[in-house]
Amino acid sequence: FGSVTAQQIESFLRHERVYRNDQAELVSNGDRALKRKLCSIRALFAYLYRMDKITSNPAVKVQVPKIHDKAIIRMDPNEVAEFLDNVESGDHLTKQQLVFHNKLKSRDLALLTLMLGTGIRVSECAGLDVKDVDLDNDRIRIIRKGGAESFVYFGDEVRDALLPYLDQRKALKAAEPDKDALFLS
C-alpha cells in the first residue's frame, strides 16, 4: 500500500466508470457509485496512515466526484386534477375493486389531496395523528426528517377533502399502536 499514488487511484476510478465484468458484460458506475468506492479507499488509507503502516495518504489528493441532484419532477395542475378525479370516480375498476374503492374513497382522497396540497413526504403523512390536524388554523403538525417539528399550512381544497374523512375516522376503531393515527390501512 505504501507505493500507491493518487494517480493510480484516479486511474482505478476511471476504469470503474465503464468496464467489462467476468461474463464480458459492460458495467457502468455513476458518480454516486464512484464516490462510494473512493470513500472506501479513503477510509482504508486513513486507517493505514493512523496505524503508521504507510507514511503518506495518497487518497486525500483524489478529488471526490461531484454528485448532481436529481431533477424534481412535478405534476402540472391539470395532471393533479385528472389524478384526483380518477381517485374520486373509480373509473376502470372491477366490481370487487369498486367495493373497496367505495369504502376507502374518502380516506384515499384526503390522503392524496393532503400530500399534493402541502408537499409533505409519504413518511411525514404516514406519521400523522388525528391530533396533528388543526382545522382552526388550516395546518398540520409534522415531524420532519431528523425529528424536527414543523407546521405546514393547507388550503381550502385540502380542508374540503379532510373534513368528510375526519367524520368517518371518528367512527373507526384502530388497533392499539395505531389508535391515534390519522390514516388507517
Side-chain angles (χ1 to χ4, degrees):
F1 286 102
S3 63
V4 174
T5 65
Q7 291 78 19
Q8 289 172 319
I9 296 171
E10 288 171 348
S11 177
F12 168 74
L13 291 174
R14 277 193 303 277
H15 170 269
E16 288 296 300
R17 181 157 305 270
V18 178
Y19 65 94
R20 293 202 180 275
N21 66 11
D22 295 337
Q23 290 80 32
E25 299 169 330
L26 202 58
V27 177
S28 65
N29 284 301
D31 288 336
R32 289 185 193 282
L34 293 175
K35 183 176 181 179
R36 282 193 306 272
K37 291 175 189 318
L38 179 57
C39 287
S40 297
I41 292 169
R42 282 184 164 190
L44 172 65
F45 276 93
Y47 171 78
L48 293 171
Y49 184 73
R50 263 193 331 273
M51 295 294 132
D52 293 326
K53 302 291 182 189
I54 56 176
T55 57
S56 66
N57 183 350
V60 296
K61 296 179 182 178
V62 179
Q63 197 167 15
V64 178
K66 292 210 187 304
I67 304 299
H68 303 287
D69 289 333
K70 295 178 192 172
I72 297 173
I73 301 169
R74 290 184 169 81
M75 296 170 77
D76 67 44
N78 291 338
E79 290 174 320
V80 172
E82 185 180 343
F83 178 65
L84 292 175
D85 286 346
N86 286 332
V87 171
E88 194 167 13
S89 69
D91 289 342
H92 310 295
L93 296 178
T94 66
K95 286 182 182 181
Q96 187 177 7
Q97 290 171 330
L98 273 173
V99 170
F100 285 106
H101 169 75
N102 289 330
K103 275 179 153 177
L104 304 173
K105 178 170 60 171
S106 179
R107 180 206 64 186
D108 294 348
L109 204 54
L111 186 139
L112 292 169
T113 304
L114 178 66
M115 287 179 54
L116 290 167
T118 60
I120 63 173
R121 291 179 172 87
V122 172
S123 60
E124 294 166 346
C125 192
L128 288 173
D129 286 338
V130 175
K131 68 182 182 337
D132 294 329
V133 178
D134 179 1
L135 292 172
D136 294 332
N137 297 304
D138 288 342
R139 67 182 187 178
I140 53 172
R141 183 184 70 85
I142 60 171
I143 305 301
R144 296 279 187 190
K145 282 171 70 173
E149 182 179 303
S150 181
F151 288 95
V152 176
Y153 292 86
F154 53 80
D156 292 338
E157 192 173 81
V158 173
R159 172 187 260 283
D160 293 344
L162 279 174
L163 285 173
Y165 173 68
L166 287 171
D167 287 341
Q168 278 185 357
R169 175 63 183 88
K170 288 175 189 170
L172 299 175
K173 301 288 185 235
E176 185 52 42
D178 301 322
K179 69 181 177 101
D180 297 325
L182 176 60
F183 296 109
L184 300 174
S185 61

